[in-house]
């Protein structure tokens, strides 16, 4: 009683060390007296903030917590039920009501499923601590849309930018410059221009707006006029959509993702103790509802008979990862608490991994989940085993966006529903990866030279290969490439052999779509393809291109790919995806001019100006010389005289 009263008095932050000492003493007495439920709660709180006590005491906290769970499971269940109440609920009546509702959910399932049994699981325990603000959801199709994040190391001091796990950071062969993320404004502009230009020339697009304004009527070329009209239309539609979202007239919807496409959840895990912690069987906890309103979930730790399966799933985009059925996964029908094991018909599969977390460490964990059916998917949290002995469940708490639709919501900073963890799973979709690799020199051409990985020069033409690979679960068709600079030329294979340089230049249409010269349709050809123009799952295609660099200094070369889902009934389903690639390419001038001024040795008031030219041309094997016809110099204050003439 004295310890309990002292805990209430010294609960403030400035008495944290004394408060921790009282909790430690009270937990030891409760443990010795056999009140294991309360001792479990206190040891869990002590382990969460055990950074200021000795390692021996921290090890004692962890050992007693695991010992209670192993040797006194019934008492540990009582303590776990108390720990399930969120700390944000302070009032006693509300906490009791929440705990009763939490237990009723278990009892309803256990009563409807007599063969089920409850397994001990510790909720809302921060050993280790999962940082909810670090949660990020991504797929391989959305990899290049994600912002760079700050990595975490063992000491938490690493501030270098890292990419999501599984992302290809290098390309085969010699890379074109340095890969980067690019500016979101540029990517959005390129997507808008791609849609407008393609709609202007696509014969399958119906009901195009043919209205002509006064400004458009001055454009003589009908193709240019049509493209500009479509660009204006897309910009107006985008502005109208943004205005509707700000007003709240359009409610946000979950992200639409593809079936059989792995979804990854990255989050930061911190060890609050100075002793090493081993966590095993790390896996996602989710809930999914299919088109028949059947529910598949592994939310609560309920063991069903014959729910163990050793079957493994592999997917093309993650060849090195094995997916399996989540622990405690079960299926229930609509409005029914009776559950059956999901061994034969799981709605989703997950990855499982083990990590050892050193003392005071911070690491990024990436857990995977792949939906196998269409429906509504919601990620609830993460589950793992502490020291491979007791299950621990952490429920994600993600705040929603601030609502700015009304004055009241803005004043009270009201937040809406967070859709970060929710997804709408649709049909199978293709997922294309793109690599820009160096083309092997097989045919000698007088106007080309194979780059050797050195600096690129202004006006230099080099040969590259765009390597496309479909790692999705459906065939892709009609790939497009949109660039911000007119550097790319797609040569016409076969038909251009034997032509001179002038004839090649005249016929260099580059598969361009529209008048801009920066939107190209990539050809999918090759005997290894099942059908020309299609890229089936697992297939790859190589498109040889020529890149002619322009400008000087560091140039940001944006390459935006668009591809569509192929439907045998409609030839094109209308479902499109984007892929972003940006290269920071340093360009050096082909002709460099430098000047130098030195005092004259003949007269005191005269200076000698020397001009030096350097020819850096490497755009062809021979005939790289330049002829200097004349040199002109001007000065406001000095009279210039040539020392010699030629």
């Amino acid at each position: 009683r004295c310890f309990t009263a002292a805990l209430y008095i010294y609960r403030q932050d400035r008495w944290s060390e004394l408060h921790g000492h009282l909790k430690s003493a009270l937990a030891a007495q409760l443990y010795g007296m056999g009140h294991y439920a309360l001792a479990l709660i206190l040891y869990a709180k002590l382990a969460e903030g055990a950074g200021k006590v000795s390692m021996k005491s921290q090890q004692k906290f962890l050992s007693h917590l695991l010992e209670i769970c192993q040797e006194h499971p019934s008492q540990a269940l009582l303590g776990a039920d108390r720990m399930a109440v969120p700390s944000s609920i302070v009032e006693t009546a509300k906490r009791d009501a929440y705990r009763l509702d939490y237990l009723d959910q278990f009892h309803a399932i256990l009563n409807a499923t007599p063969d089920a049994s409850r397994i001990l699981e510790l909720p809302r325990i921060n050993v280790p601590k999962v940082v909810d603000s670090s949660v990020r959801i991504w797929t391989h199709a959305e990899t290049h849309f994600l912002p760079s994040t700050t990595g975490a190391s063992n000491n938490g001091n690493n501030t270098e930018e890292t990419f999501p796990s599984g992302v290809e950071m290098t390309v085969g062969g010699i890379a074109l410059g340095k890969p980067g993320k690019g500016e979101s404004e540029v990517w959005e502009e390129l997507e808008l221009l791609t849609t407008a230009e393609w709609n202007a020339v696509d014969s399958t697009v119906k009901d195009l707006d043919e209205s002509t304004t006064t400004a458009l009527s001055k454009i003589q070329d009908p193709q240019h006029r049509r493209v500009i009209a479509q660009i204006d239309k897309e910009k107006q539609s985008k502005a109208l959509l943004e205005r509707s979202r700000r007003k709240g007239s359009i409610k946000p919807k979950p992200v639409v993702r593809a079936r059989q496409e792995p979804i990854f959840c990255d989050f930061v895990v911190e060890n609050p103790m100075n002793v090493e912690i081993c966590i095993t069987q790390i896996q996602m906890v989710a809930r999914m509802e299919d088109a028949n309103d059947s529910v598949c979930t592994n939310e609560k730790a309920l063991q069903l008979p014959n729910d163990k399966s050793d079957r493994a799933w592999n997917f093309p985009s993650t060849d090195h990862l094995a997916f399996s059925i989540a622990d405690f996964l079960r299926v229930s029908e609509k409005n029914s608490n009776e559950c059956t094991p999901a061994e034969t018909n799981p709605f989703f599969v997950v990855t499982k991994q083990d990590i050892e977390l050193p003392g005071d460490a911070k690491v990024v964990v990436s857990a995977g989940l792949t939906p196998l059916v269409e429906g509504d998917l919601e990620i609830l949290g993460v589950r793992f085993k502490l020291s491979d002995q007791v299950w621990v469940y952490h429920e994600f708490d993600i705040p929603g966006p601030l609502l700015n639709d009304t004055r009241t919501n803005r004043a009270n900073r009201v937040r809406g529903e967070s859709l970060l963890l929710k997804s709408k799973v649709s049909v199978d979709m293709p997922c294309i990866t793109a690599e820009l690799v160096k083309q092997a020199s097989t045919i000698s051409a007088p106007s080309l030279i194979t780059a050797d990985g050195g600096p690129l020069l202004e006006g230099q033409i080099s040969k590259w290969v765009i390597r496309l690979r479909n790692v999705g679960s459906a065939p892709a068709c009609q790939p497009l490439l949109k660039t911000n600079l007119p550097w790319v030329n797609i040569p016409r294979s076969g038909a251009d052999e034997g032509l001179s340089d002038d004839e090649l230049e005249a016929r260099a249409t580059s598969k361009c779509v529209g008048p801009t010269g920066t939107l190209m349709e990539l050809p999918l050809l090759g005997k290894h393809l099942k059908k020309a123009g299609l890229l089936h799952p697992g297939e790859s295609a190589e498109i040889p291109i020529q890149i002619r660099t322009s400008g000087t200094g560091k140039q940001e070369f944006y390459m935006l790919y668009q591809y569509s889902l192929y439907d045998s009934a409609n030839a094109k389903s209308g479902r499109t995806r984007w892929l972003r690639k940006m290269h920071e390419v340093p360009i050096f001038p082909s002709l460099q001019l430098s000047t130098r001024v030195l005092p004259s040795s003949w007269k005191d008031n005269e200076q000698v100006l020397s001009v030096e030219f350097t020819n850096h041309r490497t755009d062809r094997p021979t005939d790289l010389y330049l002829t200097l016809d004349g040199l002109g110099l001007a000065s406001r204050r000095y009279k210039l005289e040539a020392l010699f003439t030629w």
Side-chain angles (χ1 to χ4, degrees), residues 271-392:
N271 185 0
M273 309 176 70
N274 295 327
V275 297
E276 183 179 283
I277 295 178
C278 178
I279 52 178
T280 60
Q281 301 293 315
I282 304 174
Q283 55 190 283
M284 302 306 302
V285 178
R287 183 181 186 274
M288 189 170 186
E289 183 176 347
D290 66 357
N292 299 324
D293 295 333
S294 298
V295 178
C296 181
T297 182
N298 60 332
E299 181 178 1
K300 292 178 172 55
L302 293 173
Q303 189 76 46
L304 297 177
N306 301 325
D307 64 346
K308 297 293 184 180
S309 176
D310 297 332
R311 182 183 174 185
W313 284 260
N314 295 96
F315 302 95
S317 59
T318 55
D319 295 333
H320 62 287
L321 288 179
F323 290 76
S324 58
I325 297 178
D327 290 277
F328 314 123
L329 190 65
R330 58 192 182 275
V331 178
S332 60
E333 300 297 331
K334 181 180 179 181
N335 299 327
S336 175
N337 291 320
E338 185 178 0
C339 302
T340 57
E343 179 181 0
T344 57
N345 58 338
F347 288 11
F348 59 88
V349 289
V350 299
T351 59
K352 300 178 182 180
Q353 56 181 309
D354 307 337
I355 63 172
E356 293 183 358
L357 205 57
D360 196 24
K362 181 191 299 184
V363 299
V364 178
V365 178
S366 183
L369 181 148
T370 302
L372 303 180
V373 299
E374 299 181 26
D376 298 323
L377 174 67
E378 181 181 5
I379 297 176
L380 304 176
V382 60
R383 171 183 287 130
F384 51 85
K385 268 190 172 183
L386 182 60
S387 298
D388 202 22
Q389 298 183 32
V390 58
W391 285 104
V392 175

Side-chain angles (χ1 to χ4, degrees), residues 456-462 547-551 587-588 590 619:
L456 296 176
L457 303 179
E458 182 181 7
Q460 178 180 341
I461 302 176
S462 55
I547 295 181
R548 180 172 183 172
T549 53
S550 61
I587 307 298
F588 294 86
S590 298
D619 53 290

Side-chain angles (χ1 to χ4, degrees), residues 172-176 435-453 456 459-467 487-491 504 542-549 559 618-621:
I174 302 172
L176 178 65
E435 294 179 348
L436 189 61
V437 299
K438 178 54 57 185
Q439 181 181 7
S441 180
T442 56
I443 301 177
S444 61
S447 60
L448 298 177
I449 184 170
T450 303
D452 56 356
L456 296 176
Q460 178 180 341
I461 302 176
S462 55
K463 297 187 294 184
W464 299 80
V465 170
I466 297 178
R467 184 178 298 162
W487 285 5
V488 178
N489 172 39
I490 302 178
L504 287 172
E542 293 187 353
I543 300 101
I545 64 171
Q546 300 170 3
I547 295 181
R548 180 172 183 172
T549 53
M559 302 179 70
T618 58
D619 53 290
R620 60 181 67 192

Side-chain angles (χ1 to χ4, degrees), residues 318-611:
T318 55
D319 295 333
H320 62 287
L321 288 179
F323 290 76
S324 58
I325 297 178
D327 290 277
F328 314 123
L329 190 65
R330 58 192 182 275
V331 178
S332 60
E333 300 297 331
K334 181 180 179 181
N335 299 327
S336 175
N337 291 320
E338 185 178 0
C339 302
T340 57
E343 179 181 0
T344 57
N345 58 338
F347 288 11
F348 59 88
V349 289
V350 299
T351 59
K352 300 178 182 180
Q353 56 181 309
D354 307 337
I355 63 172
E356 293 183 358
L357 205 57
D360 196 24
K362 181 191 299 184
V363 299
V364 178
V365 178
S366 183
L369 181 148
T370 302
L372 303 180
V373 299
E374 299 181 26
D376 298 323
L377 174 67
E378 181 181 5
I379 297 176
L380 304 176
V382 60
R383 171 183 287 130
F384 51 85
K385 268 190 172 183
L386 182 60
S387 298
D388 202 22
Q389 298 183 32
V390 58
W391 285 104
V392 175
Y393 170 58
H394 176 82
E395 182 180 1
F396 291 141
D397 184 13
I398 308 298
L402 292 173
L403 299 179
N404 298 318
D405 51 347
T406 62
R407 202 175 279 179
T408 303
N409 289 340
R410 288 193 296 268
N412 297 326
R413 299 183 63 82
V414 178
R415 292 186 176 272
E417 181 186 7
S418 175
L419 301 179
L420 176 64
L421 304 177
K422 294 184 178 182
S423 305
K424 180 72 175 180
V425 181
S426 184
V427 297
D428 295 353
M429 287 288 292
C431 179
I432 286 183
T433 62
E435 294 179 348
L436 189 61
V437 299
K438 178 54 57 185
Q439 181 181 7
S441 180
T442 56
I443 301 177
S444 61
S447 60
L448 298 177
I449 184 170
T450 303
D452 56 356
L456 296 176
L457 303 179
E458 182 181 7
Q460 178 180 341
I461 302 176
S462 55
K463 297 187 294 184
W464 299 80
V465 170
I466 297 178
R467 184 178 298 162
L468 301 180
R469 183 189 174 203
N470 188 358
V471 296
S473 54
C477 66
Q478 213 167 60
L480 302 176
L481 172 62
K482 176 68 176 178
T483 62
N484 65 324
L485 298 172
W487 285 5
V488 178
N489 172 39
I490 302 178
R492 300 171 60 183
S493 58
D496 296 338
E497 294 183 2
L499 299 179
S500 63
D501 292 346
D502 295 336
E503 291 174 332
L504 287 172
E505 185 69 21
R507 300 182 61 177
T509 56
S510 302
K511 303 288 184 180
C512 288
V513 178
T516 62
T518 56
L519 179 63
M520 288 150 282
E521 188 172 3
L522 301 178
L524 298 177
L525 303 174
K527 297 181 180 179
H528 61 285
L529 299 180
K530 296 180 181 178
K531 184 177 180 181
L534 296 182
L535 201 62
H536 285 81
E539 292 183 341
S540 61
E542 293 187 353
I543 300 101
I545 64 171
Q546 300 170 3
I547 295 181
R548 180 172 183 172
T549 53
S550 61
T552 56
K554 187 178 70 173
Q555 301 290 328
E556 294 184 347
F557 185 44
Y558 289 77
M559 302 179 70
L560 178 65
Y561 299 86
Q562 184 198 51
Y563 55 96
S564 304
L565 169 65
Y566 175 75
D567 188 358
S568 58
N570 301 325
K572 181 183 176 183
S573 66
R575 299 175 181 266
T576 60
R577 279 186 165 183
W578 304 90
L579 174 62
R580 298 174 177 178
K581 291 283 187 177
M582 196 274 281
H583 304 268
E584 296 178 357
V585 186
I587 307 298
F588 294 86
S590 298
L591 181 63
Q592 185 177 2
L593 184 146
S594 61
T595 60
R596 185 171 55 177
V597 179
L598 296 175
S600 174
S601 58
W602 293 295
K603 294 183 180 181
D604 295 338
N605 296 330
E606 290 186 354
Q607 306 287 331
V608 178
L609 174 65
S610 62
V611 181

